[in-house]
Amino acid sequence: MSTGEEGHMAMADRGSRKRRVGVKKGTKAARNKKQKSKPSTSDRFKVTMKNQKLFQKRARDYNSDDDEEEDDESKKQPEVTIREKIFSDANMGPNYEEIGEEDNDENSDGEDHGEIESGITKFATDGCNAFKIAFKAIMKKTKGDDTLGPVLSAHKHLIGEKLAEDEAEKKAKGQARKAKHLIAEKGHVKPGSYLDSHEKILIGVATKGVVKLFNAVNKAQHAQKGLNPSRSKDAKVLKKRRKEAFLSELGKTKTDTKPFDARRNKLVFCLDLAPIESHEKNHLMSESKLVFCLELASIEKGSPSAHKSEDEAPVWAPLRDNYMLANPKLKDWDKKQETSEGDDFAGLSGDESYED
Amino acid sequence: MGRFKNNKKSRVIGKPIAKKNQEDVSHVTGDKIPKSFVFSRMKLAGPVKQLQMDLRKLMLPYTALSLKEKKRNTLRDFLNVSGPMGVTHFLMLSKTASSLSLRVARTPQGPTLTFKIHQYSLASDIAQSQLRPRCPQDLFKSPPLIVLSGFGSQELHLKLATIMFQNIFPAIDINTVKLSTCQRLVLLNYNKDTKLIDFRHYSIRLQPVGVSRRIRKFVQNHQVPDLRNLQDVSDFVTKAGYGSESEGDEEAATVTLSSDLGRVNKGATKSAVKLQEIGPRMTMQLVKVEEGLCTGGIIFSEYDVDGKKEKLKKKQDEEEEEDSEEEGEEGSEEDGEDMDEDFED
């Protein structure tokens, strides 16, 4: 009994699998019944000898599962035959009949028996027939001399080829990636952990700049120590002191370090460490007058002290009234600006440059 | 999708840099505070992207740190945004297979300086190379100082570069500036011979001079010193530590402070200025100067000297006969003479 049912289960499973592949249609009822039948059989497998009697008794009390199963199968029969038809039309093609015949022959020999599974076995054997044919075809093949036999993956030359191919592919990919990386990293330099001489020089230059600034700040702020700029009284004193400091700086500009000292003491503090000789400076001044004008204008706006600087006949040449006339280089500065490449300053200085 | 694209086209997503009108003008100097955008209009590879981020950090605090650019953003979009936000400078990185370049432009109408970046190192590279990278909390809260060195020649393009970089950071009023805000420094060093500009970014640190290392560390770190090997507490003060690291040779690097700076540096005492690099580091070359914002006439070009002269010629004698122009082109091979001719005209 149990063996027969096992066989039946297997068949049913195969059938259901086949149905999924081949045919889309399937009535709900049939599916339900199959699902019902499954747990019952599986229960039966679990039954130990001890409890068997008890179950049998219970089975007798209720409508027994066997009856149900029989009902199922009787209902299944026609359905499966229909399915078989469709199957034969759709999938198997012209060969089908031959196969079918073979099946029938073999069926009679096989372990499946009884009228219960006739429909299913037919269907199931169809399914397993394809496999059978394939299997036979394989079995008909003569085995080569290779000790490895037909196991393709074990063939050494095949493996070798595949590996070589992979290697080449990998190499090509790696090279492409490397090239890309090289392009991305172009110019990227990772500095060493030591300070080379060039860096030391640069740090020295920067330090000089900072020291200059800090000293200037110290000088400027030393004068206003103890005064609170928010108080009006102190603010006046501050103004006065700043003005004095500013003018004194302007006075100093008579000496060699003319334009750059003046520049440094303006509100706009620009550190310029350029080593420039005095004659160069004069030339530079004449050429970059626009810049100077701009900066001077900003001073006059920004600091109140600068307003009064004109009254006291400034020592620094550009602040004098006759500076533009006296200096032959500056006489026709506006003409020169057009001819030379003065356009570059236009964007920066804007209108302010024409104020003077 | 297309419609969606069009709607979004002219938007540049970014944090507003600051409150609009209040912060535009510095309350100290009364000048307009320069602000900047650092962006790129192409997809950048890893290290260059990082360089862009480093540059943004360098430009802090008046820059958009988390500016998001998209491929469809044109320069015009950035320009449109820059107006209301008071952005005065654009720094644009662009990368081709052969070269990396940085364009520094003044908005809204130029000029634009194009630098070719020959070498660069990221801030992280620099930090890795150092034994103790330094990054105090408020390092990026104030703008850096800028030091230009070696630019003072008569060449106009260099002068223009000087002006550009001087104005890229807020001006300092030496009467009111607090030294505690001077935390960083950007150095641009022009090498006349190689025509390369070294771009460095340092942090400034002040140390009291003439104090033994132990005591300085004790004051700075607030940690209980190890006194196990000492006989008496006074030993800790009197016993000189290991040689005062290179204090002697840097006499030039000492300043006298006018006011207290931090806990350690008291006013009216000598302090040593120590610089430590924080990166990024760049070696670049000025290759092109354009009149407008990435457009307009070429004022200066490193490689194509002819172009500049042709342009000049055109400007000067547009209505003159073409013969002279040809002459000019021919003559432009000999640099010096031709220049003189140009100016005489």
Side-chain angles (χ1 to χ4, degrees):
Chain A
M1 180 65 187
S2 66
T3 53
E5 282 201 349
E6 238 183 285
H8 163 237
M9 258 310 291
M11 286 301 136
D13 273 354
R14 260 181 235 156
S16 65
R17 213 175 290 147
K18 206 70 204 180
R19 183 179 57 179
R20 249 174 257 142
V21 174
V23 189
K24 280 166 198 167
K25 287 184 226 163
T27 56
K28 242 183 189 176
R31 224 177 280 160
N32 284 343
K33 272 158 206 167
K34 277 227 169 124
Q35 277 171 358
K36 252 187 214 168
S37 68
K38 259 182 216 170
S40 68
T41 48
S42 67
D43 274 353
R44 190 119 352 119
F45 291 135
K46 279 176 191 170
V47 167
T48 55
M49 289 302 285
K50 253 186 178 179
N51 296 332
Q52 210 167 15
K53 272 188 182 177
L54 184 69
F55 282 126
Q56 276 173 357
K57 197 190 170 190
R58 274 183 193 172
R60 246 172 273 138
D61 289 346
Y62 301 101
N63 279 333
S64 72
D65 289 348
D66 292 336
D67 295 350
E68 254 184 29
E69 265 181 39
E70 274 174 1
D71 286 346
D72 286 350
E73 277 139 21
S74 61
K75 275 175 196 169
K76 259 178 215 164
Q77 245 179 339
E79 196 184 284
V80 170
T81 48
I82 293 165
R83 218 174 283 149
E84 195 186 1
K85 252 189 191 170
I86 298 163
F87 198 64
S88 68
D89 289 340
N91 295 344
M92 291 312 245
N95 294 352
Y96 175 71
E97 278 166 43
E98 290 175 13
I99 296 159
E101 278 171 14
E102 276 178 27
D103 282 350
N104 287 338
D105 296 339
E106 276 167 15
N107 246 354
S108 57
D109 303 329
E111 76 250 23
D112 302 322
H113 47 275
E115 86 282 50
I116 315 165
E117 288 108 351
S118 65
I120 294 171
T121 35
K122 244 191 186 172
F123 176 59
T125 44
D126 288 345
C128 106
N129 206 40
F131 175 72
K132 202 174 273 173
I133 291 164
F135 189 74
K136 269 184 179 172
I138 292 173
M139 292 307 283
K140 266 177 203 165
K141 276 186 183 169
T142 50
K143 198 180 98 179
D145 296 334
D146 259 339
T147 48
L148 289 166
V151 184
L152 290 173
S153 61
H155 276 292
K156 270 192 180 163
H157 66 277
L158 282 180
I159 290 174
E161 265 173 35
K162 182 99 165 88
L163 281 179
E165 207 172 88
D166 280 357
E167 194 99 319
E169 207 170 281
K170 221 178 186 180
K171 214 174 182 181
K173 258 187 194 170
Q175 270 178 348
R177 201 182 300 147
K178 211 174 178 183
K180 208 175 171 190
H181 189 251
L182 263 183
I183 286 173
E185 287 280 333
K186 203 190 173 209
H188 188 187
V189 178
K190 297 203 170 162
S193 55
Y194 54 88
L195 271 182
D196 58 2
S197 59
H198 184 59
E199 295 302 321
K200 270 184 186 162
I201 290 169
L202 288 180
I203 286 182
V205 168
T207 310
K208 228 193 271 172
V210 176
V211 169
K212 255 188 183 176
L213 170 69
F214 278 27
N215 284 334
V217 168
N218 183 32
K219 210 173 169 188
Q221 292 188 353
H222 191 70
Q224 29 173 320
K225 223 171 193 181
L227 295 173
N228 185 3
S230 56
R231 275 174 60 195
S232 61
K233 211 178 187 182
D234 284 357
K236 268 186 188 172
V237 180
L238 271 180
K239 253 187 200 174
K240 209 170 182 185
R241 284 193 190 173
R242 275 183 204 170
K243 178 185 140 195
E244 278 164 11
F246 180 74
L247 288 180
S248 70
E249 287 297 331
L250 276 187
K252 268 185 209 163
T253 56
K254 239 181 177 179
T255 57
D256 252 4
T257 54
K258 233 192 305 192
F260 283 90
D261 262 20
R263 246 172 138 180
R264 200 161 18 106
N265 287 292
K266 274 180 225 149
L267 290 178
V268 183
F269 191 96
C270 307
L271 288 164
D272 207 318
L273 304 173
I276 293 175
E277 289 134 51
S278 54
H279 71 275
E280 266 184 329
K281 256 177 249 156
N282 282 333
H283 191 68
L284 179 73
M285 247 169 56
S286 63
E287 282 203 356
S288 64
K289 70 228 168 228
L290 287 181
V291 186
F292 276 114
C293 289
L294 161 71
E295 288 186 348
L296 284 176
S298 74
I299 295 168
E300 281 170 13
K301 260 194 276 167
S303 88
S305 61
H307 282 298
K308 289 163 196 169
S309 63
E310 282 150 342
D311 303 341
E312 301 183 17
V315 229
W316 187 37
L319 287 182
R320 287 183 206 133
D321 287 334
N322 59 346
Y323 175 66
M324 297 289 273
L325 300 172
N327 197 333
K329 275 181 184 170
L330 291 178
K331 245 179 188 170
D332 42 354
W333 59 274
D334 43 350
K335 271 184 202 170
K336 206 175 181 185
Q337 193 235 343
E338 276 180 9
T339 52
S340 71
E341 305 143 316
D343 281 340
D344 44 359
F345 297 119
L348 280 172
S349 52
D351 296 337
E352 284 174 335
S353 56
Y354 298 100
E355 274 180 16
D356 283 14
Chain B
M1 186 60 196
R3 201 183 55 198
F4 182 65
K5 223 179 190 175
N6 283 335
N7 286 342
K8 274 217 160 180
K9 197 171 184 182
S10 59
R11 277 179 56 196
V12 180
I13 304 157
K15 253 188 177 174
I17 304 156
K19 281 170 242 161
K20 259 184 207 165
N21 294 322
Q22 294 170 354
E23 300 267 332
D24 266 359
V25 172
S26 124
H27 57 276
V28 183
T29 49
D31 295 335
K32 205 179 171 201
I33 292 179
K35 292 172 184 173
S36 57
F37 272 163
V38 183
F39 60 90
S40 164
R41 283 172 51 219
M42 55 183 70
K43 200 165 194 293
L44 296 175
V48 187
K49 184 104 189 158
Q50 196 56 45
L51 180 67
Q52 179 183 311
M53 204 56 219
D54 287 347
L55 275 177
R56 278 186 189 165
K57 274 189 100 176
L58 183 141
M59 298 303 293
L60 277 177
Y62 302 112
T63 191
L65 190 63
S66 49
L67 179 73
K68 298 259 193 312
E69 66 266 23
K70 296 203 168 150
K71 213 175 180 184
R72 55 174 178 263
N73 286 135
T74 58
L75 191 60
R76 180 139 217 101
D77 299 339
F78 289 103
L79 203 56
N80 288 339
V81 174
S82 75
M85 282 184 170
V87 175
T88 53
H89 291 82
F90 281 170
L91 277 82
M92 290 164 278
L93 275 171
S94 57
K95 165 100 181 151
T96 60
S98 59
S99 71
L100 175 66
S101 68
L102 171 72
R103 275 179 297 175
V104 183
R106 169 85 209 213
T107 61
Q109 53 221 15
T112 308
L113 311 181
T114 306
F115 296 94
K116 184 183 175 191
I117 300 178
H118 288 261
Q119 286 182 348
Y120 67 95
S121 303
L122 305 176
S124 59
D125 298 332
I126 305 254
Q128 266 176 8
S129 74
Q130 286 168 350
L131 206 60
R132 283 188 193 80
R134 179 174 181 267
C135 189
Q137 272 190 339
D138 48 353
L139 191 62
F140 291 101
K141 282 183 182 159
S142 52
L145 313 172
I146 184 146
V147 173
L148 302 168
S149 163
F151 279 89
S153 60
Q154 299 147 37
E155 290 168 87
L156 280 170
H157 62 273
L158 283 181
K159 221 179 293 162
L160 187 61
T162 312
I163 295 162
M164 184 69 101
F165 281 115
Q166 274 172 357
N167 291 316
I168 213 166
F169 296 114
I172 299 166
D173 181 3
I174 56 168
N175 286 314
T176 53
V177 69
K178 279 183 186 151
L179 288 186
S180 59
T181 60
C182 302
Q183 294 261 5
R184 295 182 291 139
L185 172 118
V186 172
L187 170 73
L188 285 156
N189 184 51
Y190 180 71
N191 191 336
K192 234 182 245 170
D193 305 325
T194 55
K195 291 190 175 175
L196 292 179
I197 298 169
D198 291 308
F199 184 101
R200 297 287 185 277
H201 186 206
Y202 298 106
S203 73
I204 301 170
R205 186 172 43 149
L206 289 173
Q207 275 182 355
V209 176
V211 184
S212 79
R213 187 166 183 271
R214 278 176 168 176
I215 293 175
R216 203 182 63 225
K217 289 280 170 208
F218 177 52
V219 176
Q220 274 175 340
N221 297 345
H222 274 305
Q223 279 170 354
V224 180
D226 183 10
L227 298 175
R228 274 179 301 182
N229 303 329
L230 303 175
Q231 300 292 325
D232 191 76
V233 181
S234 63
D235 285 353
F236 179 72
V237 183
T238 53
K239 203 176 174 187
Y242 301 109
S244 52
E245 10 99 36
S246 67
E247 242 172 45
D249 60 331
E250 286 177 18
E251 281 163 14
T254 56
V255 290
T256 313
L257 299 175
S258 58
S259 58
D260 293 2
L261 186 62
R263 207 169 47 240
V264 191
N265 299 291
K266 294 292 174 196
T269 58
K270 286 248 172 203
S271 290
V273 176
K274 304 256 172 186
L275 296 184
Q276 189 171 354
E277 191 167 5
I278 39 182
R281 178 193 288 188
M282 290 190 284
T283 306
M284 50 196 199
Q285 184 184 14
L286 181 58
V287 288
K288 202 165 75 174
V289 179
E290 284 163 304
E291 249 174 46
L293 185 65
C294 298
T295 52
I298 294 168
I299 298 168
F300 165 79
S301 177
E302 179 65 36
Y303 300 122
D304 185 21
V305 188
D306 294 2
K308 161 188 159 192
K309 278 172 190 165
E310 270 172 42
K311 220 238 138 204
L312 262 182
K313 274 268 182 227
K314 267 183 206 165
K315 251 195 172 178
Q316 283 166 13
D317 37 33
E318 272 179 317
E319 66 284 324
E320 275 184 28
E321 64 276 280
E322 290 182 0
D323 298 10
S324 67
E325 207 176 310
E326 281 175 23
E327 263 187 87
E329 276 179 0
E330 283 168 13
S332 63
E333 260 108 59
E334 306 106 48
D335 278 345
E337 282 185 39
D338 195 54
M339 275 297 277
D340 288 348
E341 267 181 31
D342 280 352
F343 281 117
E344 274 168 25
D345 288 3

